[in-house]
Amino acid sequence: MIRLDQVSKSFKDTAAVKSVFFEVNEGENLILLGTSGCGKTTTLKMINRLIEPDEGKVTINGKNVANENPEILRRGIGYVMQNNGLFPHYTIGENIATVPQLLKWDKNKTQERTTELLSKLHLPADCISLFPHELSGGQQQRVGLARALVADPSVLLMDEPFGALDNVTRASIRKEFKALEELKRKTIVMVTHDVQEAFELADRICLMDKGEIIQIGTPQELLYHPINDFVNNFMESERITLEFKITTLKDLWNKLPDEQSSNAKTVDQQLSIWDTLNYFRSGVDKISFADDSGRQKSIDINTLNSAFISYQNLQQHG
Ligand SMILES: Nc1ncnc2c1ncn2[C@@H]1O[C@H](COP(=O)(O)OP(=O)(O)OP(=O)(O)O)[C@@H](O)[C@H]1O
């Protein structure tokens, strides 16, 4: 577990982070969200001591990071930098092997782990001998992730990991990121200024403004129970898309009629309403899914719409 206890940092006259407190549970993905300059990166870098706090305490699994050797601390924490941060004159293989070298892994172990990660991250095996500039932006981003994951750290810090990519590549890498088994058991703190990204990937979101935490909660809590106008306004222009993205067919189960159809496309109950609508848009007429006990329901776009409106009302008004 990561815990930041009343942590503050100023740069000369700029109070970048003011008395921030939060906890990230094991296996949780906390996303620091906010406009440029609100203190997200400074907060992240205080976790692995790339920046030292002026006040407050950061602990990881109960250990105060201030008492650890910073180099050894960082070897045990995966870190994906803004704009991938690859060494331009190192090959992809050498970039990924940075931490294994510090850990004195033998060549075979490093080679095996690198090959495994390249495959998991959908990178061509022969890119190992290429240099970063010979890869696309999306591929470089994946190498940055491979480098952070190579020693299988339990904590992963990510600073705008998809920041430099175009919207289409960004959306598809996000999907892969979400599906990556290797990331599911890690404790992740990730920085983004992209609201959609935060809502798609976060277990909880920490919304910041001017160095302070304004609200911290699940995507549902921020969307349906914003604590003030700032939170509400932050999401307002994208509200409907966000609602479609964070609601799943499973959430709507009780609102859907007990109908079944034999010629429906079968999907998983965890499919978001956004993705379900994309099926309807692509010409599918009926969709069928099962709950945890295997009971099936089939829906068309009209039953989906009515169920969604009824679910939305319940979230807003209780
Ligand atoms: N090394 C530094 N020296 C002086 N001021 C700094 C330094 N690092 C950050 N700041 C200031 O601290 C504030 C918070 O910066 P920080 O990088 O943490 O914000 P951010 O939310 O991550 O922004 P962005 O999304 O643009 O990266 C900003 O006003 C920034 O200008």
Side-chain angles (χ1 to χ4, degrees):
M1 185 212 261
I2 303 171
R3 181 183 160 104
L4 272 73
D5 208 347
Q6 310 309 337
V7 170
S8 299
K9 178 73 189 178
S10 293
F11 298 102
K12 294 190 182 136
D13 296 338
T14 310
V17 176
K18 301 178 206 163
S19 277
V20 159
F21 172 86
F22 62 72
E23 288 176 341
V24 195
N25 295 319
E26 212 176 308
E28 193 182 25
N29 189 354
L30 180 85
I31 297 205
L32 306 177
L33 174 68
T35 47
S36 182
C38 72
K40 307 180 294 293
T41 298
T42 306
T43 303
L44 189 80
K45 287 183 171 174
M46 287 193 285
I47 299 175
N48 65 356
R49 292 189 62 189
L50 284 171
I51 293 179
E52 299 288 356
D54 298 331
E55 280 170 48
K57 193 164 84 172
V58 179
T59 54
I60 299 181
N61 297 330
K63 282 190 184 166
N64 186 344
V65 298
N67 299 334
E68 312 266 317
N69 172 313
E71 274 76 39
I72 294 175
L73 174 80
R74 275 178 228 134
R75 268 177 231 166
I77 300 177
Y79 181 51
V80 182
M81 291 180 225
Q82 248 179 41
N83 302 318
N84 76 52
L86 299 177
F87 303 118
H89 305 300
Y90 280 20
T91 63
I92 300 310
E94 288 164 347
N95 264 287
I96 296 176
T98 322
V99 171
Q101 255 188 352
L102 293 170
L103 295 173
K104 305 205 176 351
W105 284 13
D106 72 46
K107 269 200 170 140
N108 282 347
K109 183 173 171 185
T110 306
Q111 174 85 35
E112 269 172 33
R113 178 67 175 145
T114 303
T115 310
E116 181 190 6
L117 277 170
L118 291 179
S119 149
K120 280 186 180 171
L121 293 167
H122 308 293
L123 284 159
D126 55 6
C127 80
I128 201 160
S129 53
L130 299 178
F131 289 92
H133 75 269
E134 295 176 282
L135 266 53
S136 72
Q139 288 174 322
Q140 290 178 29
Q141 216 81 44
R142 286 161 213 253
V143 175
L145 185 57
R147 186 173 64 174
L149 290 175
V150 67
D152 198 18
S154 59
V155 171
L156 187 62
L157 307 179
M158 307 178 85
D159 195 354
E160 295 273 5
F162 316 118
L165 306 175
D166 62 87
N167 280 344
V168 176
T169 314
R170 207 176 159 111
S172 77
I173 288 201
R174 262 196 328 248
K175 274 218 162 81
E176 284 175 32
F177 176 84
K178 232 175 140 174
L180 209 61
E181 246 352 276
E182 185 134 352
L183 292 176
K184 294 201 170 135
R185 41 198 169 83
K186 298 206 182 295
T187 309
I188 302 176
V189 184
M190 179 175 143
V191 164
T192 185
H193 63 270
D194 182 327
V195 185
Q196 300 279 343
E197 190 157 290
F199 276 73
E200 271 178 49
L201 299 179
D203 293 314
R204 281 187 306 143
I205 293 171
C206 172
L207 181 60
M208 297 181 69
D209 184 39
K210 300 191 188 86
E212 289 178 307
I213 295 177
I214 307 300
Q215 185 169 2
I216 184 159
T218 62
Q220 280 81 356
E221 282 165 349
L222 263 75
L223 208 48
Y224 294 117
H225 305 288
I227 61 153
N228 60 20
D229 286 347
F230 176 83
V231 181
N232 201 30
N233 294 340
F234 202 86
M235 299 168 301
E236 200 46 34
S237 63
E238 303 181 58
R239 170 170 290 276
I240 192 68
T241 314
L242 298 176
E243 289 187 20
F244 283 149
K245 284 191 172 171
I246 63 167
T247 311
T248 62
L249 287 171
K250 182 177 180 176
D251 295 326
L252 301 190
W253 177 267
N254 290 330
K255 311 267 171 227
L256 291 164
D258 267 325
E259 278 170 29
Q260 288 191 27
S261 164
S262 54
N263 56 348
K265 172 161 185 64
T266 304
V267 298
D268 190 275
Q269 61 171 345
Q270 297 294 355
L271 194 70
S272 69
I273 304 311
W274 179 262
D275 287 337
T276 310
L277 286 169
N278 278 337
Y279 275 122
F280 287 129
R281 267 185 224 121
S282 71
V284 170
D285 290 328
K286 287 223 176 230
I287 280 182
S288 155
F289 69 102
D291 71 356
D292 290 330
S293 51
R295 287 176 302 164
Q296 291 256 341
K297 282 188 181 179
S298 301
I299 56 172
D300 60 20
I301 190 158
N302 294 324
T303 44
L304 179 72
N305 276 337
S306 323
F308 181 74
I309 290 167
S310 154
Y311 172 83
Q312 212 181 17
N313 278 333
L314 190 70
Q315 299 305 310
Q316 281 162 1
H317 310 298

